[in-house]
Amino acid sequence: MSGPESVDRVLLTAAVVLIIIAGAGLLTRIWRGPSMLDRAISLDVCAALIIAGLGAKSAFARDPFYFPIMLVLAFLGFTGSVGIARFIAARDRPTLRRGADGAESSDGREGEAR
């Protein structure tokens, strides 16, 4: 094994170890939460870690077979994140309330000074 090949192997091994450590931290964030948004972001990062793992495997094997799979996973991760963000935004949107004078306000504090 030549010098550059051994450096490549060491760097790829270090990358895989870092991906595994990040995955362990990710699982603890999914488990502990505390909010739904934390869990949603963690699932998005999970997709990114899977893509990084496939990229490391592809680089290790010097095989471009996984590139289209990585592209599809990136697209699915993005659309999933956007869908979750829209769901959370719609859930947290303030409801309109009508006052005694018939005027609409979102939460009753619209005209108050802060």
Side-chain angles (χ1 to χ4, degrees):
M1 185 179 305
S2 68
E5 288 178 0
S6 65
V7 170
D8 285 347
R9 186 168 299 269
V10 167
L11 290 176
L12 285 172
T13 304
V16 169
V17 167
L18 289 175
I19 290 170
I20 290 171
I21 291 170
L26 177 73
L27 288 176
T28 59
R29 176 50 57 195
I30 290 173
W31 181 266
R32 296 181 74 191
S35 70
M36 183 67 180
L37 187 59
D38 288 334
R39 290 183 174 99
I41 291 171
S42 297
L43 289 175
D44 185 39
V45 172
C46 181
L49 283 179
I50 291 171
I51 293 168
L54 284 174
K57 180 178 176 19
S58 180
F60 193 74
R62 298 183 187 269
D63 183 21
F65 175 75
Y66 293 104
F67 290 160
I69 297 169
M70 291 166 50
L71 185 65
V72 169
L73 284 174
F75 176 72
L76 289 175
F78 172 74
T79 55
S81 297
V82 169
I84 289 171
R86 287 185 59 127
F87 172 72
I88 290 173
R91 187 183 69 178
D92 293 342
R93 185 175 296 142
T95 58
L96 293 177
R97 299 179 188 160
R98 292 200 181 263
D101 57 356
E104 291 182 354
S105 68
S106 59
D107 60 358
R109 293 180 281 153
E110 217 167 87
E112 292 179 1
R114 293 179 189 208

